[in-house]
Amino acid sequence: MTFAARLALPLLLVSAVLGAMGMSWWLVMAGSAALVTQVWRMQARAARSAALAVPRDEESLVLWTVPERTAFEAAVIASRRVRATWPSLGTMIDPVLADRSLTRALGELGEVLSRRQELRRLRSELAAVRDADIPADSPARSAVDEQWVRAEQLWRAEDAAANRILRSVDAAARAGESFIRERQVAATARYAERTLARVTGAPASVESGPELADRTEAVVAAYRDLAA
């Protein structure tokens, strides 16, 4: 309401000026009123509480914690970088198999992150009750401590699994991008060598530019780790 009122004041001034210039005052006022009403409706809708519909089937995964959502978003960005390198890699990889491996890796990452966020919530609940004012020899304290140890072990395992998948996707992206950049540099070097040979009249060497045959192993190894 405050923003709509602030918007209406300059519109009234503009309407008065346009009316003084000979324009139809009711047409200008109607347009100003329509604009203020539209802005008010948009802001009123944006201010309403949002409702998140969570899928009820067992195959769907919902990440609601910020660290897990950030990690999965980083993996999606890296996967897009991986797919962007496929046209330039040519026959070095099979895009169909690579897409299956990448999709499977993202699916496994989603499952790991889903379990990790549940463990994150459980660790917070256990940490809240571990400091409760109860006797040190209480069976309840012993039970909580035992569950805390188990939760910590599972937390470390899931965290290591998530980091492994993230590193694999990022390694595949960096390997492909590095190979493409190196091939572009090699092409530039060969072009420069031919140009200099034409200008100076000296024969160009048979082997020009860096050799990239050995570099393909890095790309293949990165995709093997992604598929593992």
Side-chain angles (χ1 to χ4, degrees):
M1 292 296 295
T2 302
F3 182 81
R6 292 175 179 174
L7 178 63
L9 291 177
L11 288 178
L12 286 174
L13 179 60
V14 172
S15 300
V17 172
L18 293 177
M21 295 174 60
M23 293 188 63
S24 178
W25 67 271
W26 64 268
L27 184 60
V28 177
M29 291 296 295
S32 300
L35 179 59
V36 172
T37 303
Q38 183 65 21
V39 170
W40 177 80
R41 292 182 58 187
M42 292 174 59
Q43 290 204 323
R45 181 179 180 183
R48 288 201 303 249
S49 300
L52 176 63
V54 179
R56 297 183 179 275
D57 58 291
E58 298 180 355
E59 296 181 358
S60 298
L61 300 174
V62 179
L63 302 177
W64 63 82
T65 54
V66 175
E68 278 65 39
R69 291 174 65 89
T70 302
F72 194 80
E73 289 174 358
V76 171
I77 294 174
S79 68
R80 292 171 181 168
R81 291 168 50 202
V82 171
R83 288 188 168 92
T85 62
W86 291 347
S88 300
L89 295 179
T91 59
M92 292 178 56
I93 62 169
D94 185 347
V96 177
L97 296 178
D99 182 72
R100 292 176 182 173
S101 299
L102 186 58
T103 303
R104 184 169 61 251
L106 291 178
E108 292 176 358
L109 178 63
E111 295 176 358
V112 171
L113 293 178
S114 178
R115 293 193 296 268
R116 196 176 75 171
Q117 74 179 359
E118 291 292 338
L119 290 171
R120 183 186 300 277
R121 177 183 58 81
L122 179 61
R123 290 170 73 245
S124 299
E125 294 178 356
L126 290 175
V129 299
R130 288 185 73 192
D131 298 332
D133 187 13
I134 59 177
D137 57 350
S138 171
R141 180 179 292 276
S142 300
V144 168
D145 291 339
E146 180 181 355
Q147 298 305 318
W148 171 264
V149 173
R150 291 185 57 192
E152 282 294 310
Q153 293 175 348
L154 290 175
W155 166 265
R156 294 192 185 97
E158 297 297 341
D159 188 61
N163 291 331
R164 178 187 62 79
I165 298 175
L166 286 170
R167 286 194 301 267
S168 298
V169 177
D170 185 68
R174 287 188 288 106
E177 292 170 348
S178 177
F179 179 83
I180 293 172
R181 285 195 300 268
E182 195 167 358
R183 190 165 59 182
Q184 292 172 347
V185 171
T188 302
R190 289 192 297 269
Y191 171 77
E193 187 177 13
R194 289 194 298 267
T195 302
L196 292 174
R198 185 175 64 254
V199 172
T200 61
S205 59
V206 178
E207 304 237 350
S208 61
E211 179 61 41
L212 298 180
D214 296 337
R215 303 294 188 183
T216 60
E217 292 297 330
V219 179
V220 175
Y223 278 90
R224 286 174 180 170
D225 292 340
L226 181 62

